[in-house]
Structures are given as structure tokens and as C-alpha cells.
Amino acid sequence: MITHTLGFPRIGIKRELKKTIESYWKGNLSEEELFLAAKTLRKKHWQLQKENGIDLVPAGDFSLYDQILDMTVTLGAVPRRFNFEGETVDIKTYFDMARGKAKQGDANAMEMTKWFDTNYHYMVPEFEPNQTFKLSSEKIFEEVKEAASQGHNVKPVLPGPLTYIFLGKETKEGFNRFDHLDSILKVYEEILTRLSENCEWIQLDEPILVLDLDTKIKNHFKETYERLTKAAGSMKILLATYFGALGSNEDLTLSLPVSGLHLDLVRAPHQLDSVLKNIDSEKILSLGLVNGRNIWKTNLDTAISTVKRASQALGKERIMIAPSCSLLHVPMDLDEETALLPEIKNWMAFAKQKCKELQIIRDAALGKDVGEELNANREALLSRKESSLATNKSVQEKLQNISKEMLSRKSPFATRREKQKEELNLPLLPTTTIGSYPQTKEIRQIRSKFKKREISEEDYKKSMKDFIREMTIKQEELGLDVLVHGEPERNDMVEYFGEQLKGYCFTKNGWVQSYGTRCVKPPVLYGDVLRPQPMTVNWIKYAQSLTKKPMKGMLTGPVTILCWSFVRDDQPRSETCKQIALALREEVRELEEAGIKIIQVDEPAIREGLPLRKKDWEDYLQWAIDCFHITTSGVNDETQIHTHMCYSEFNDIIEWIAKMDADVISIEASRSKMELLKAFEDFHYPNEIGPGVYDIHSPRIPSKEEIKSLIKKAIEVIPLENLWVNPDCGLKTRNWDEVIPSLRNMVEAAKELREES
Ligand code: GLN
Ligand code: ZN
């Protein structure tokens, strides 16, 4: 009954890897220094896992940028534009692929996108016809050797070939990326054969086995794993699945000729029974019992009884014990958190603590005496369950009392629209922005000084008001029709609200990799959500007092707050989301009372919260949209509700977006040159819409003519009277030198088109 992990956080407790890589990029560190730092971190992380009870440690899970990019490099699948020649891909080419090449005939970075339903982003493999593949990196062999030389029992980890190809994209038409399966498998075979000389196990990750797969893809599995098993010789293949249940792919998965199978029993505990019944008598089963996606302690008693059940059915030699998925998605070490309330801290476990949990589960299942540890775990869980910190009667009552009226606006859109027209008196093609303006050094300095208590609250407020005033004046000068206060007080659109809501706490070093060297520190929602006082009203009220034009109130929506936090696991996500919505509802109402006529509720994360299986979509979308209504339905018809979404695929959820019934939606569209609007046209999207006409990810200043032609494209598909003019997203990452001329062109473009029509 060995314990193992599927992968471990690599960024380092103080984000050492981030800092090292970034100083290498700046030219302050040599290649040798970079490699040495990486090696030191690997050593530390293996050591840490071993000390905390892990028998079999992973190698190959470490990466200087992304493990899928590593696989791309290993297969020699470097896109042509990076001009790779030679035997092995060098580090410069590697980072060019990740970040784009600025000189020598410019080459864009490879695209990145979300890894399943996590907040981790991988680099999308690119395929074209007649592409060739050959082993072009020694990384996996070197890391295995490294771990072994440090005395570890090591298991190489690679993305499985089918998941790898599935997650890629064709860059040319007229072929299918799975056409390359045979050539790619040849490289995998070579890798496996070489590894088999030194390793007992290899882990191949095929998380696509928890998705709805079409028959064509399913049909590839058998042959693929027959070939790989043969190539692996005496080395055993552990096929890892996670993030959900095998469901309709269960028979297929169990029929594959691999030596072991890993199941996610946190997300999908129910699949164990049928797997135990149907698994053949040779296979090893790895039980994913400790949540690799969240930061709470495991219920050890439950986990132990699961292990006992499995080992009764299969025999204890055939059981492995593991986290549900790679620990990449949780922070590294809770011991480093010195500022958390001890009571709350005692409910949590980070990667290191999760390793320890695995050890206790195993020892208990083998009949060793771990009574003390189990008691401590029971006490912690009980304390969490009964804590007055986490429960609030009045919140729970409010949750029970969500009425039908709260799930829609008082009147239909047509009625509201007439009233809002009268109230707001806006021109055709009204112009606005999405919320944030450049977060200058000054702004960040003031915020950080206030956080460190180096300046008084009074001085802080005064400075913020100065920023708001400057930004309001700038917007008036530009001639925008609907203004925003600019969000100078917000470090992050979720953290800002989390900090003011009861039920939230924050870590000091709870870093999780988002992409490359970028890390986030998700706030932790541990209890019932309460809004002790207004969160934005004073800022917005002040901003409105400076202008006669309408000032938008600006809120982050409940689903986005939920998706970008670590949330409690002791109640359904939908309940937690509704609590957040109820708190925001009060804020919306107070904004209205304060005379704010337009309120925007941003939901950029609504699409990424979608469950992996289509059958679960409706349930999710229903409560997600309910939460939007709970947030916004308390206002009068005259108050205009906006929402904003960006950087996702919206075509397949357009009918749900329409059900949100926001008076106006602003949506990123300039990168796809308005193609996204096709979905809105086909659906006859009824309400007003502002497709982005300014790509805010680029420092480039769009010309007036360019913007005009984008708006004209939009006019072709959306009725003119429904159209707004705005950038793709918030402007916080830009600087004023870019923003002013860009917005000036945008306003001019709108004005000219207004006159022409
Ligand atoms: N209002 C936010 C801003 O402008 C929206 C950000 C987002 O969509 N991610 O920054
Ligand atoms: Zn956005």
C-alpha cells in the first residue's frame, strides 16, 4: 500500500522559481544559475515529500514554465516560426515559445488556455500537416536520474499522448491532429523504453477520460496503450485520471492493458464501487483520497474506510494512496502561515500537510497505531463544523428566504428600456469603459503604504479621491458618455471584495501557479458570507458628485468571486454562491439609493465555472444565473444593470447569457474581429451590447478608422440602437500614454458614426 503524489507545487514557498526565472529573463542570471536554482528546488521538494511520508515521488512534474510545453519540446513539436534546428531544444527557444520572440522576424507566443476547470493555464500544442516529431529533450531522463541519485524511489510523470493531442489545435485546415498519433507514439515508445531501464512505474496522465469523448477519440485508446505497454517492457504504466468520474468512459478505461489506474475519489467518490467490481484481477488501483484542488483537511476516517473497502476487494498489495490530482493546484506549506487565526488554520492542509495525511491514512489502513493523529483530525473537523466563526444564523435564514421575485427584474426589458432612456438620456452608440484605469506606480504605492500602516486612513482616502477626481476629469475631457471611477482602490477584483466580506480570510504565502511565473493567492472562503458595511458605495458616490454624466457603480459578480477563491467544501458551491449574491444585492441596493443610475456586475469567470461534463451544465448555469438575478433584481426599472464578460468562448452558453437579462452586456470581441457577435446575431440577442473595439492586451493604439470599421461590422449584425462602444476589458495594465489616444479615437469614431447614421 504505497503512498505517492501525482505532482507537486514547483514554484517554491517564497516563489523562488518565479523570481529566479524572471531575473534570468532580465539578464541578471546566467543559464547555469537558473538550472542550479531549479535543481535546488526539486531537491527540496522531493525531500519534503519523502519526509512527510511519500514512498514514490514524481519526476517530470517540475517545469520552468508549463508541463505541456515541456512535452511539446520533448516531442520536438516546436512551431516553425521559432526556427528550431538541432538535436535538443535550448532554453532560449523554450522561453520564446512561451512568451513570444520580439526580434528576428517576430514570432508570437504559443496560445495558452485553461487546464480543464482549474485556474492553471497550459500552452496549447500546435499541429500542422506533414509535421515531424522526434525526441528533442532529455529533461525527463535527467530529472529521473537526479531523484534516484538523491535516494528517492521515483516515478516519471508525463501527459498521456491522447490528452496531449486532444488539448492541442490544428493551425492549418484540411487535416486532423490525431493523424499524427502514430508519429507521436513512436517518440513516446522511445521514451518509455529508455525509462524502463531504471523505473518500476511511469505515470501517464489522461484526464480527458473524465470528459464526454466522441467515439473516434475513444477508439484510439486501445491501440495506443497496447503499443505503450509493449514499449514499457517491465516498467508498469499507471494511467492517471482526475477532475471527475470516468462515467461513460469507464468500460473503455478498465479494458486498457495498463498495470495501474488512478481515480479521483474526491470529485467522484461514487465511481469506486463499480470500478472495484469490474477491474481485472491484475490491476493496481490508486485511490485519490486527498483533495488536490482545495485547502481543507481530509476527513481521515472516511478516507480510511474507503481504503479498507478497496483493499478488502482487491488485496492490500493492489492499492496505492494518493491525492485526487496533482498538488500543483494548492499552496505548498501551511506551516508558513503565521498570521491566520489558529482556529481556522487548524482546518486547513496545504501540499505538505496533504502528504502527511496520505501517510496517516495508509498507516491506519494497515492497522498501525495512529490514534493520536486521528483524534487531532477529528477534533479539527468538529471544530470547523461547530465554529461560530463559520456559521451565521441570519445568513442561513436569508438563504432560505430567497423568493421567486428575486430571480428576475420587476419588468421585462422593453419596459425597463423605455424608462432608462428617459432617465439617462444617452446618445446613440454610447461610449464607456469597463471599469479600471491604469494602476500607476503612485496608486500602487499609496495602497501598499496604507496596507503597511505607513499612512493614515484619512490620507489614504484623500489620495484615492484625488485619483478618482483626476480620472473623472480625464473622462469628461475625452467626452465619454458613461464614466467610471477607475477602481484605484482595488488590488484585485476578487480580493477587494473578499477583504470586506465576513467569511473570508487571506494567506501570506498561499501561492498557486496560474501560468508561467504568474502566481495567484486565492482568498479563502471559510464561512457564511456577510457584508458588515458598504464596500464600494462611498467611492462611487464621491465619483458621481464630480460629474453630471452617469457614473457606473462597479462590482465583481458572485460567480467570479466564487471561481477565483478557495471555497468551503462542506456545502454545495451553489449555496456559497447564493450567499455572496445576497451580500452583493445589498450593495447594489445601496448604490441605487445613493443615486447611482448604472451598476455593472462583472462576471468574466462565468464560463470557466462550467462543469466538465455537458450533462451537468444546466444545473450549474441555472444557479449561476440565479445568483446574478439575486444580485441585481432589487433595483427599480429605471436603474440600468450592466454585466461584463471576456476571454472565453461564449457561443455555447449564449442562451444563458440572455437569461441573465442584463440591460447591457460588454464583451471582449476585438481580437476575433467581431466574429463572436455571430452567436449574438444568430440567437437574436435581445438586450443592449457593447462588443469590445480596443484590444487592451496590446500596447498598440487603435486608429479611429480601425475602430470605426469594427463598429460598422457590429452594426451589420446588431441593431444600431442596441449597440454600445467600449474597450475589450479593464485598462488597469495599460499606461495613460496609450489609454488617452486610444479612447480619444474610440470616442471620435462613435461620434462620426452617430452623425453618419
Ligand atoms: N471591472 C474590471 C476592470 O475593469 C473587469 C476586469 C475583468 O473583466 N477581468 O478591471
Ligand atoms: Zn474583462
Side-chain angles (χ1 to χ4, degrees):
M1 231 187 241
I2 64 166
T3 56
H4 71 116
T5 64
L6 277 62
F8 201 72
R10 52 211 181 202
I11 206 77
I13 184 71
K14 298 259 151 69
R15 289 180 299 164
E16 295 91 324
L17 188 60
K18 171 196 176 72
K19 289 168 194 163
T20 309
I21 293 173
E22 287 178 356
S23 62
Y24 167 76
W25 287 343
K26 283 196 196 114
N28 299 336
L29 270 190
S30 70
E31 221 168 279
E32 289 68 39
E33 288 169 305
L34 171 67
F35 292 144
L36 185 65
K39 195 171 170 179
T40 311
L41 272 176
R42 284 194 291 270
K43 183 171 179 188
K44 201 165 149 192
H45 296 166
W46 283 322
Q47 191 66 30
L48 208 83
Q49 293 178 73
K50 191 178 199 171
E51 281 166 10
N52 286 279
I54 299 302
D55 303 319
L56 186 58
V57 299
D61 59 329
F62 184 89
S63 178
L64 291 173
Y65 204 91
D66 164 46
Q67 69 273 11
I68 298 295
L69 183 64
D70 293 345
M71 195 67 227
T72 298
V73 160
T74 301
L75 294 167
V78 182
R80 240 181 258 274
R81 62 184 181 281
F82 299 103
N83 296 325
F84 161 65
E85 280 163 20
E87 290 300 306
T88 52
V89 178
D90 58 302
I91 188 74
K92 256 190 80 316
T93 307
Y94 177 82
F95 283 133
D96 282 347
M97 292 164 75
R99 309 171 67 221
K101 192 158 99 175
K103 274 176 240 119
Q104 292 170 22
D106 285 356
N108 290 340
M110 294 176 78
E111 191 186 313
M112 84 188 162
T113 196
K114 291 212 174 209
W115 176 246
F116 297 84
D117 58 354
T118 72
N119 208 356
Y120 177 80
H121 302 67
Y122 70 93
M123 306 300 298
V124 180
E126 295 178 19
F127 298 105
E128 57 174 55
N130 305 320
Q131 196 172 350
T132 53
F133 302 87
K134 77 174 200 322
L135 182 58
S136 305
S137 164
E138 290 291 305
K139 175 179 184 282
I140 186 76
F141 310 108
E142 283 164 3
E143 287 176 16
V144 164
K145 225 192 298 166
E146 210 176 283
S149 77
Q150 291 161 23
H152 297 290
N153 191 2
V154 53
K155 166 194 64 176
V157 177
L158 291 174
L162 293 163
T163 290
Y164 175 78
I165 299 174
F166 181 90
L167 294 177
K169 62 171 186 184
E170 291 94 2
T171 54
K172 294 217 170 76
E173 279 172 24
F175 86 110
N176 182 294
R177 59 193 187 278
F178 281 93
D179 296 347
H180 290 316
L181 179 58
D182 175 59
S183 348
I184 288 177
L185 281 180
K186 288 199 175 108
V187 186
Y188 269 89
E189 285 167 335
E190 188 184 343
I191 298 171
L192 264 55
T193 304
R194 266 180 71 183
L195 287 170
S196 70
E197 290 164 22
N198 303 308
C199 303
E200 188 192 348
W201 281 103
I202 180 169
Q203 173 189 324
L204 294 174
D205 287 7
E206 294 284 12
I208 60 168
L209 284 166
V210 310
L211 305 179
D212 302 312
L213 290 177
D214 62 40
T215 327
K216 262 209 190 122
I217 294 175
K218 279 172 118 170
N219 287 343
H220 291 309
F221 269 92
K222 229 195 174 112
E223 195 203 326
T224 296
Y225 280 87
E226 270 162 12
R227 281 177 63 173
L228 294 180
T229 307
K230 206 176 274 166
S234 63
M235 180 175 66
K236 295 180 272 189
I237 296 178
L238 176 68
L239 183 71
T241 69
Y242 40 82
F243 300 151
L246 294 172
S248 51
N249 302 323
E250 188 181 303
D251 291 347
L252 166 70
T253 309
L254 289 175
S255 76
L256 298 174
V258 293
S259 304
L261 172 65
H262 173 83
L263 297 178
D264 183 338
L265 296 176
V266 173
R267 278 272 177 97
H270 304 298
Q271 60 181 335
L272 182 62
D273 285 327
S274 82
V275 169
L276 287 179
K277 216 182 300 151
N278 299 318
I279 194 168
D280 64 56
S281 61
E282 305 284 293
K283 277 197 181 67
I284 304 265
L285 194 61
S286 164
L287 309 172
L289 296 166
V290 168
N291 198 345
R293 295 282 299 271
N294 212 333
I295 43 84
W296 306 110
K297 276 191 175 148
T298 308
N299 184 325
L300 295 180
D301 286 319
T302 311
I304 292 161
S305 73
T306 305
V307 176
K308 286 188 176 154
R309 194 149 54 90
S311 82
Q312 256 158 25
L314 307 181
K316 62 176 190 271
E317 325 65 43
R318 287 176 58 201
I319 304 292
M320 285 169 130
I321 296 171
S324 59
C325 59
S326 168
L327 293 169
L328 180 67
H329 310 290
V330 291
M332 204 160 103
D333 187 1
L334 183 65
D335 292 343
E336 300 287 324
E337 297 299 326
T338 46
L340 284 173
L341 270 183
E343 184 180 343
I344 296 176
K345 182 174 167 184
N346 189 34
W347 307 339
M348 297 182 185
F350 292 179
K352 183 177 115 182
Q353 288 72 29
K354 285 171 189 281
C355 291
K356 197 87 205 166
E357 290 189 334
L358 296 170
Q359 186 187 32
I360 301 168
I361 295 169
R362 188 263 316 274
D363 288 353
L366 290 179
K368 286 196 190 147
D369 178 22
V370 283
E372 215 172 293
E373 286 88 342
L374 288 183
N375 274 335
N377 178 261
R378 286 176 199 132
E379 269 168 37
L381 297 190
L382 194 68
S383 134
R384 183 171 167 210
K385 201 166 165 192
E386 295 182 340
S387 170
S388 58
L389 286 172
T391 44
N392 184 300
K393 276 245 158 57
S394 77
V395 173
Q396 292 174 3
E397 262 163 36
K398 264 197 227 156
L399 201 64
Q400 295 313 311
N401 292 331
I402 292 174
S403 62
K404 233 183 129 228
E405 287 72 55
M406 287 161 82
L407 302 180
S408 70
R409 292 287 294 272
K410 298 188 179 72
S411 311
F413 174 64
T415 314
R416 302 195 309 262
R417 181 183 208 174
E418 285 315 308
K419 296 189 188 172
Q420 288 166 20
K421 260 197 180 141
E422 213 161 286
E423 186 77 29
L424 295 167
N425 207 2
L426 292 170
L428 207 55
L429 297 172
T431 53
T432 189
T433 57
I434 307 304
S436 57
Y437 277 114
Q439 292 253 334
T440 58
K441 219 180 181 167
E442 282 166 285
I443 292 182
R444 276 181 277 132
Q445 249 165 22
I446 300 279
R447 264 206 323 264
S448 121
K449 276 190 184 157
F450 178 52
K451 206 163 189 178
K452 291 190 209 132
R453 303 276 160 234
E454 287 168 22
I455 55 171
S456 69
E457 185 167 350
E458 204 177 318
D459 287 344
Y460 168 74
K461 282 189 177 160
K462 199 182 147 312
S463 302
M464 286 299 139
K465 283 186 171 174
D466 289 343
F467 292 128
I468 291 174
R469 183 161 9 84
E470 279 167 34
M471 296 199 249
T472 307
I473 294 170
K474 284 198 175 101
Q475 294 176 83
E476 290 218 318
E477 279 169 4
L478 284 165
L480 285 152
D481 299 305
V482 172
L483 312 191
V484 296
H485 80 293
E487 305 180 17
E489 78 286 11
R490 302 184 192 176
N491 40 347
D492 173 274
M493 65 187 289
V494 171
E495 197 174 20
Y496 177 76
F497 290 93
E499 275 170 355
Q500 303 190 71
L501 289 168
K502 263 189 89 172
Y504 261 107
C505 67
F506 296 84
T507 62
K508 279 221 148 57
N509 283 302
W511 296 106
V512 180
Q513 205 174 350
S514 171
Y515 62 86
T517 59
R518 170 144 175 95
C519 302
V520 294
K521 218 167 36 154
V524 178
L525 215 185
Y526 64 86
D528 289 336
V529 179
L530 203 71
R531 189 195 75 135
Q533 74 274 314
M535 303 182 281
T536 64
V537 179
N538 288 336
W539 300 123
I540 310 288
K541 211 161 100 178
Y542 171 71
Q544 181 66 83
S545 76
L546 302 168
T547 176
K548 291 211 158 49
K549 296 213 164 151
M551 180 63 67
K552 271 197 279 192
M554 214 42 78
L555 302 172
T556 302
V559 181
T560 299
I561 293 182
L562 182 88
C563 283
W564 293 350
S565 307
F566 281 124
V567 298
R568 47 203 292 195
D569 58 354
D570 57 350
Q571 67 182 22
R573 287 166 72 79
S574 55
E575 301 280 293
T576 307
C577 197
K578 282 175 192 164
Q579 291 191 1
I580 304 169
L582 284 168
L584 290 169
R585 180 184 173 87
E586 292 170 20
E587 187 76 11
V588 167
R589 285 240 280 245
E590 275 183 45
L591 282 167
E592 183 184 56
E593 265 166 39
I596 303 305
K597 296 192 166 119
I598 305 184
I599 300 165
Q600 178 172 314
V601 177
D602 291 331
E603 282 291 22
I606 208 150
R607 161 76 218 222
E608 72 186 54
L610 266 188
L612 295 172
R613 294 270 190 177
K614 260 217 157 98
K615 68 170 174 43
D616 304 321
W617 280 21
E618 182 159 347
D619 178 58
Y620 161 78
L621 285 161
Q622 188 60 58
W623 63 252
I625 271 69
D626 282 350
C627 286
F628 186 79
H629 286 301
I630 293 169
T631 306
T632 54
S633 66
V635 296
N636 296 320
D637 290 349
E638 286 77 4
T639 301
Q640 191 170 65
I641 297 291
H642 289 213
T643 188
H644 165 73
M645 289 175 199
C646 49
Y647 307 107
S648 324
E649 179 64 51
F650 293 109
N651 295 23
D652 45 8
I653 59 163
I654 179 84
E655 75 185 274
W656 293 92
I657 295 178
K659 281 188 192 162
M660 289 167 76
D661 196 24
D663 297 305
V664 182
I665 179 171
S666 63
I667 197 160
E668 161 255 345
S670 76
R671 276 189 321 174
S672 70
K673 308 252 181 313
M674 299 284 145
E675 262 159 39
L676 169 128
L677 287 182
K678 185 100 186 53
F680 286 78
E681 180 193 19
D682 293 346
F683 184 73
H684 298 290
Y685 184 77
N687 300 12
E688 298 183 19
I689 170 167
V693 294
Y694 162 17
D695 175 8
I696 59 99
H697 277 154
S698 165
R700 225 173 54 83
I701 295 160
S703 70
K704 182 179 75 186
E705 289 312 318
E706 212 178 312
I707 297 177
K708 268 175 90 172
S709 84
L710 284 177
I711 303 174
K712 278 185 187 159
K713 263 189 150 172
I715 295 175
E716 282 167 25
V717 290
I718 305 281
L720 181 67
E721 62 280 9
N722 286 5
L723 264 186
W724 284 63
V725 175
N726 47 258
D728 271 342
C729 189
L731 297 163
K732 67 172 166 227
T733 57
R734 298 266 61 90
N735 59 51
W736 281 109
D737 292 344
E738 299 153 0
V739 165
I740 295 280
S742 301
L743 290 181
R744 184 170 298 129
N745 292 346
M746 185 184 91
V747 171
E748 283 303 312
K751 277 189 182 154
E752 285 180 19
L753 284 171
R754 233 173 249 164
E755 270 153 34
E756 286 168 26
S757 57

